[in-house]
Amino acid sequence: MWREIYRNRAIYLFISPFYILFAVFGLFPIVFSLYLAFHKWDGIGEMEFVGLNQFRYLLEDANFWQSIWNTLQIWAFSTIPMLFMALVIAFMLHSALVKYKDFYRISFFLPNVTSIVAVAIVFGTLFGNRYGFLNFIITSLGLEPVQWLDSPFWIKIAISSMVVWRWTGYNAIIYLAGLQSIPSVLYEAARIDGASPMQTFFGITIPLIKPVILFTVITSTIGGMQIFTESQVFMGDSGGPGGGGMTIVLYLYQQAFTKNLFGYGSAVAWGLFVIIGLFSVLNWAIVQRSGSK
């Protein structure tokens, strides 16, 4: 092998920048974080080897489990309506009745390329307790204002709305690509048989793009477990009142970069890795089971 590498050294030289950058900024941090998870370190002093103590504490840490529960709730509040709306939007864009489709595609995809920090600031003005736009509408209707930023439940709703706004268009484009692969003769046959748009949607569209739907569920699950910026910019490092916005990644950030517990922060990171791995295996099993039918 080494003889072949030496013989083709010019080729390997050209592709080496990618592997060098990956080793420095990708592989090394992963390996070092695993090493760090077995040590107590504040980022400046000497490392103290503690073995599995930090992982044992992780399993007993109520704040860690709360962050998992918060993340799962935000994922449920955002992913289910997001994927449903994305599917409806894709179905409408695929319809022959809709004109200016390119304009709508760009418009729906635009939130995905918008800075998430800017999005969080804008949504902060929408969900403000006293001067928020939503409370202005609510009070205009003669109702009591909602304390969006003081309630753990409404904090999750606010964060979930940001996720929905940002990723609905992205998933709609993916669904649209799946819809375009469906033969048009199936829709024509359904129309001739007198099927309604609703019957066509649930009888033809949903079954034929099922693999695409499962793909978006998997990617949305993995992304939902890594929610950070929305919560951090919106609620700060504390996660808001009652820790309602404390996600797993935000808890990792708090432990490592706020409290300087880099060893425990690494343990939290590997705990997140295990959780994502379990969800990925579960989704893979669902895909395999679905594909075998």
Side-chain angles (χ1 to χ4, degrees):
M1 182 185 67
W2 292 108
R3 186 177 300 174
E4 290 295 323
I5 292 176
Y6 179 77
R7 182 181 303 173
N8 299 283
R9 58 188 179 277
I11 298 175
Y12 285 101
L13 180 64
F14 282 115
I15 66 174
S16 62
F18 166 79
Y19 293 99
I20 294 173
L21 292 175
F22 173 75
V24 174
F25 297 103
L27 183 61
F28 172 74
I30 293 174
V31 175
F32 183 69
S33 68
L34 180 60
Y35 173 79
L36 197 58
F38 295 95
H39 293 76
K40 183 179 180 181
W41 188 46
D42 60 0
I44 299 177
E46 295 184 0
M47 295 185 182
E48 178 185 350
F49 180 76
V50 293
L52 296 174
N53 289 346
Q54 295 186 129
F55 290 100
R56 295 192 187 97
Y57 179 75
L58 183 68
L59 297 176
E60 302 173 355
D61 188 358
N63 293 326
F64 173 70
W65 291 107
Q66 182 188 7
S67 69
I68 294 177
W69 178 236
N70 290 340
T71 305
L72 292 175
Q73 285 182 292
I74 294 172
W75 171 81
F77 292 153
S78 60
T79 301
I80 296 174
M82 173 184 67
L83 295 183
F84 178 76
M85 289 190 296
L87 191 57
V88 172
I89 291 171
F91 185 74
M92 294 174 62
L93 291 177
H94 188 62
S95 173
L97 301 177
V98 178
K99 298 181 179 180
Y100 310 110
K101 294 183 179 180
D102 291 338
F103 170 77
Y104 288 114
R105 291 173 186 174
I106 295 174
S107 300
F108 284 119
F109 190 76
L110 190 61
N112 185 251
V113 297
T114 305
S115 171
I116 187 59
V117 176
V119 172
I121 293 173
V122 171
F123 271 77
T125 62
L126 292 176
F127 288 96
N129 288 338
R130 298 182 62 185
Y131 305 107
F133 181 70
L134 292 180
N135 273 342
F136 170 77
I137 296 176
I138 292 173
T139 53
S140 299
L141 297 175
L143 303 175
E144 291 294 326
V146 177
Q147 301 302 311
W148 301 101
L149 306 182
D150 291 338
S151 168
F153 173 77
W154 290 116
I155 288 173
K156 297 180 181 66
I157 296 298
I159 296 174
S160 300
S161 66
M162 284 189 282
V163 177
V164 171
W165 186 84
R166 189 184 185 202
W167 292 101
T168 298
Y170 172 84
N171 287 287
I173 298 300
I174 295 178
Y175 287 147
L176 182 60
L179 289 173
Q180 291 174 343
S181 65
I182 300 176
S184 59
V185 294
L186 297 178
Y187 291 107
E188 295 174 1
R191 194 177 304 111
I192 293 173
D193 291 339
S196 65
M198 189 66 66
Q199 291 173 325
T200 302
F201 181 74
F202 287 102
I204 297 178
T205 304
I206 297 296
L208 292 181
I209 66 169
K210 192 174 183 180
V212 181
I213 295 175
L214 291 174
F215 168 77
T216 57
V217 170
I218 292 173
T219 55
S220 299
T221 300
I222 295 175
M225 294 296 104
Q226 302 179 64
I227 292 176
F228 167 71
T229 309
E230 294 89 342
S231 182
Q232 199 271 340
V233 176
F234 199 53
M235 303 307 305
D237 297 342
S238 65
M246 180 63 70
T247 62
I248 304 176
V249 180
L250 181 58
Y251 185 64
L252 184 161
Y253 175 85
Q254 181 195 70
Q255 297 299 310
F257 298 101
T258 302
K259 298 183 178 180
N260 294 327
L261 301 175
F262 289 95
Y264 186 63
S266 298
V268 174
W270 282 96
L272 174 61
F273 171 78
V274 172
I275 293 172
I276 293 178
L278 292 175
F279 271 97
S280 299
V281 171
L282 178 62
N283 286 321
W284 177 83
I286 294 174
V287 172
Q288 291 294 105
R289 183 178 178 182
S290 175
S292 62
K293 292 182 179 180

